[in-house]
Amino acid sequence: MRISRFAAATATIAASALVLSACAAPQSEVVEGSSITVAWNQPFYSYNSNTSFGNATANANIVYLTSGGFNYYNNEPALVKDESFGTYELVSEDPLTVKYTIADDVQWSDGTPVDAADMLLAWAANSGVLNTPDFDPGEFTDPETGEFTDDYPTDVVYFDGAIGAGLQLVTETPEIDGKSITLVYDEFFVDWELVFGVGLPAHVVAQRALGIEDAQEAKDALVEAVQNADAAALAPISSVWNSDWNFTELPAEEDANLLVVNGPYKITDFVADQSITLTANENYRGENLPNIEEITIRFISDPLAAVQALANGEVDIISPQATADVADALAALDGVTVLGGEEAVYEHFDLTFENSKNGTFDNPLLREAFLKTIPRQQIVDTLIKPLNPEAEVRNSQLFLPGAAGYDETVANNGMAEKFGEVDIEGAKALIAEAGVTDPAVCILYASNNPRRVNEFALIQASAQEAGFVVEDCGSPEWGGLLGTPGAYDAVFFGWQSTSLGVTNSSSTFRTGGINNLNYYSNPQVDALLDELDVTLDPERQIEIQLEIDKLLMDDFYGVTIFQFPAVTAFSDRVTNVNPGPLSPTIFWNAWDWEPTESN
């Protein structure tokens, strides 16, 4: 499933790498020879989860386990500072000025120190400040794969980073000093604590982009390129940053530097479409030393297959998409602990406003008509209530059910009123008014996910009754296609929340936001998001979000469907599995997992 772009921006800071002081490496706590296997429902395919292509939970999980950061969320959820990786200081509120400092001895897995060059690269990549103006990468994106084509120009600077998540407000090149960087914001940003961290290794990026062998020389060249806005050097640097870390199997020996990380684990094996193996990083200098030496993550898309693998002892931890069959199958297992609840993930159906396959939803009448056909209540009754009898249709793009403002927005935004029930006749009338015959709608979804296959069947049957021609554009590689021009007209998947930040939705609904996958644009929404970014008053924050929620529905943006029911199960070979509601859910405290005598 995709994660929110705001979340992607914090993925690099959300890694749980705590660092001990002193010069010597801490005594290892790893249990030699210990190993466990975890099942996940989507293969890993990119180590750079801050790009539009790599922005997926399946990728962010691996980044989290192998990266250090300034803070992370625990399972309460509460933000925990990781001061042994580094510290950050609010120097000034006007102008907002924040200084970040990497702790002594923090290093990449190849022994290269983590320092200000790495943070300067993170700013350059995720602020967009150095990007070539008016460059449109959509012209060079393959609609079949979502990756950039061979025709991608070599003379443009374009970092496909987490634009819109806050760093775009830092337009002046930050000052650096050794292991420190100071960010000065043009305006106050309410969620400043959540938007910055170390991403890819600067020395490796520069080595690959500029052909420089020595790590320090490579860093120096990258710093010089950023500070001087040297487009000739930044063009290959941005291209390498965008694309080189996309890989679906273990890189060849000559590309081994793609595996350089700074967290508790490092990637040691990767079999395409099968599994990825992480091993404790001997060069990790954090306090959160892992107990388990090796974690293998198997890619199992079918939830029942994951349960069967757990029953067979092939995997030790699973967190599949919950269904009634999954619940029944888990109840029959011995030696397994099952945890339930509700995830901070919600299913949503979005319409594409521009760059779609058929152009159907360029017409607002057809957008409204299609939303009238989506059988949201039937989906919840059929697929979710067997797991959670109290489950209800979610009726807000911004508010979590039960949170302050949710009831008010449901009464105000029009989602429940206009699209609470299927209205085939109303949809037919709107199609007729639009003067279109047999409007085509290509729907993208995860075709290897049984629940999503069932959802698509229900949506297709209902929409076709109204006169839409619904094309099955489902794909196992759906994640990499999100936001790809010309690939589809509509899509449904789950947004995974990874923070409690009030600006969490900014890069999703903002014009040009890195998480704006359906090319939505409304100047009023943009202005409200700008205000939300700098608003500290909680009451006004809610008022702004209420206004945005209604504007989205007035534009027939899409609809939300349900909050995910959660299920995690683990065998008696491992303890201390305590999933949290935010991404990375089961992995947030992987360093605390302990093997039992059964391991």
Side-chain angles (χ1 to χ4, degrees):
M1 72 191 75
R2 274 294 176 107
I3 59 177
S4 72
R5 253 311 166 178
F6 178 82
T10 65
T12 53
I13 66 170
S16 54
L18 300 182
V19 182
L20 290 174
S21 58
C23 296
Q27 186 67 33
S28 174
E29 299 176 5
V30 173
V31 178
E32 186 175 354
S34 60
S35 64
I36 64 165
T37 302
V38 184
W40 195 257
N41 62 15
Q42 184 184 358
F44 171 88
Y45 62 89
S46 175
Y47 192 79
N48 193 349
S49 59
N50 276 351
T51 67
S52 59
F53 177 77
N55 174 32
T57 303
N59 298 326
N61 289 340
I62 306 304
V63 174
Y64 182 94
L65 292 168
T66 56
S67 297
F70 293 102
N71 53 26
Y72 61 91
Y73 277 99
N74 63 19
N75 63 339
E76 293 181 14
L79 192 66
V80 180
K81 289 185 177 180
D82 185 351
E83 293 189 352
S84 54
F85 175 83
T87 58
Y88 50 95
E89 173 190 2
L90 181 62
V91 177
S92 168
E93 291 188 359
D94 187 18
L96 176 62
T97 306
V98 187
K99 182 177 182 179
Y100 293 84
T101 303
I102 301 292
D104 292 339
D105 297 330
V106 179
Q107 59 183 282
W108 296 100
S109 54
D110 64 356
T112 303
V114 178
D115 60 22
D118 301 298
M119 293 189 287
L120 188 65
L121 172 61
W123 167 78
N126 295 297
S127 68
V129 170
L130 300 175
N131 286 356
T132 300
D134 301 322
F135 172 66
D136 181 7
E139 298 179 14
F140 308 98
T141 304
D142 187 340
E144 298 296 324
T145 67
E147 295 192 78
F148 291 135
T149 65
D150 293 338
D151 295 331
Y152 187 90
T154 59
D155 60 347
V156 300
V157 179
Y158 179 73
F159 288 98
D160 183 26
I163 314 303
L167 289 182
Q168 77 280 0
L169 296 176
V170 183
T171 58
E172 293 296 323
T173 303
E175 292 186 3
I176 61 172
D177 180 17
K179 288 181 171 285
S180 296
I181 189 170
T182 301
L183 307 180
V184 180
Y185 288 73
D186 299 340
E187 300 178 63
F188 189 86
F189 184 71
V190 65
D191 285 329
W192 62 267
E193 197 171 5
L194 302 174
V195 301
F196 187 71
V198 175
L200 299 180
H203 67 290
V204 176
V205 172
Q207 285 171 331
R208 297 178 68 87
L210 305 178
I212 300 173
E213 184 174 346
D214 181 79
Q216 188 58 54
E217 290 180 10
K219 283 188 186 184
D220 293 342
L222 184 144
V223 168
E224 183 178 353
V226 173
Q227 290 179 334
N228 295 331
D230 180 356
L234 289 172
I237 287 172
S238 64
S239 180
V240 164
W241 190 91
N242 291 337
S243 301
D244 278 26
W245 273 261
N246 298 336
F247 52 89
T248 56
E249 60 185 355
L250 199 67
E253 185 176 349
E254 60 267 25
D255 291 319
N257 57 4
L258 293 174
L259 303 179
V260 171
V261 298
N262 61 27
Y265 285 95
K266 61 182 181 180
I267 299 171
T268 52
D269 195 17
F270 186 10
V271 180
D273 297 321
Q274 298 296 319
S275 65
I276 189 167
T277 299
L278 311 178
T279 303
N281 176 12
E282 66 275 10
N283 281 334
Y284 172 64
R285 296 298 184 266
E287 291 180 352
N288 280 339
L289 288 167
N291 296 305
I292 295 174
E293 184 174 19
E294 184 178 274
I295 298 176
T296 296
I297 299 173
R298 280 187 56 189
F299 313 133
I300 304 177
S301 59
D302 187 329
L304 283 175
V307 175
Q308 189 60 53
L310 181 65
N312 295 342
E314 299 169 9
V315 302
D316 302 296
I317 305 174
I318 66 173
S319 186
Q321 286 198 7
T323 66
D325 290 340
V326 166
D328 292 342
L330 286 174
L333 299 184
D334 295 324
V336 169
T337 300
V338 180
L339 305 175
E342 198 169 71
E343 296 182 1
V345 184
Y346 65 93
E347 194 84 338
H348 61 106
F349 192 102
D350 296 346
L351 307 182
T352 303
F353 281 67
E354 292 182 9
N355 300 316
S356 62
K357 182 177 181 180
N358 294 297
T360 298
F361 295 131
D362 294 349
N363 188 327
L365 292 172
L366 296 178
R367 294 201 298 269
E368 182 180 5
F370 197 87
L371 295 184
K372 284 181 176 291
T373 71
I374 299 177
R376 295 193 299 150
Q377 188 64 58
Q378 184 183 10
I379 290 171
V380 171
D381 291 344
T382 305
L383 304 178
I384 307 303
K385 280 195 173 181
L387 288 159
N388 177 12
E390 305 302 318
E392 297 181 352
V393 172
R394 172 167 165 155
N395 284 301
S396 173
Q397 298 281 1
L398 275 73
F399 291 91
L400 184 73
Y406 180 76
D407 290 342
E408 189 174 353
T409 199
V410 171
N412 176 68
N413 66 21
M415 190 184 298
E417 178 184 353
K418 295 179 181 179
F419 309 114
E421 297 180 1
V422 171
D423 181 5
I424 299 299
E425 294 305 314
K428 286 180 178 180
L430 288 167
I431 293 173
E433 185 178 350
V436 178
T437 303
D438 300 327
V441 178
C442 164
I443 300 180
L444 176 67
Y445 66 98
S447 61
N448 56 350
N449 182 305
R451 187 164 75 192
R452 297 254 165 74
V453 171
N454 290 331
E455 281 184 71
F456 173 77
L458 293 172
I459 293 168
Q460 182 184 46
S462 182
Q464 290 187 161
E465 188 177 347
F468 286 98
V469 177
V470 179
E471 303 172 16
D472 186 343
C473 291
S475 169
E477 286 77 40
W478 65 276
L481 294 173
L482 288 172
T484 300
Y488 57 90
D489 299 298
V491 62
F492 62 95
F493 61 99
W495 276 133
Q496 168 73 66
S497 298
T498 63
S499 84
L500 302 179
V502 70
T503 61
N504 202 17
S505 60
S506 183
S507 58
T508 301
F509 304 119
R510 180 188 300 279
T511 301
I514 194 63
N515 214 26
N516 189 336
L517 304 171
N518 59 341
Y519 304 94
Y520 173 75
S521 179
N522 183 321
Q524 289 178 272
V525 170
D526 292 343
L528 288 166
L529 289 170
D530 287 342
E531 183 182 353
L532 185 61
D533 285 350
V534 301
T535 298
L536 293 173
D537 179 17
E539 291 187 5
R540 180 56 188 156
Q541 289 174 351
I542 290 177
E543 290 174 354
I544 293 170
Q545 291 176 89
L546 289 171
E547 293 181 60
I548 294 172
D549 219 13
K550 186 174 189 311
L551 286 169
L552 293 172
M553 290 315 306
D554 289 346
D555 290 334
F556 311 115
Y557 176 93
V559 290
T560 51
I561 306 177
F562 58 83
Q563 209 69 27
F564 275 40
V567 61
T568 297
F570 55 95
S571 74
D572 56 10
R573 296 181 70 251
V574 61
T575 61
N576 296 337
V577 179
N578 299 299
L582 302 175
S583 178
T585 60
I586 58 174
F587 295 107
W588 80 268
N589 71 331
W591 59 87
D592 284 335
W593 296 347
E594 290 187 17
T596 65
E597 295 180 0
S598 301
N599 195 318

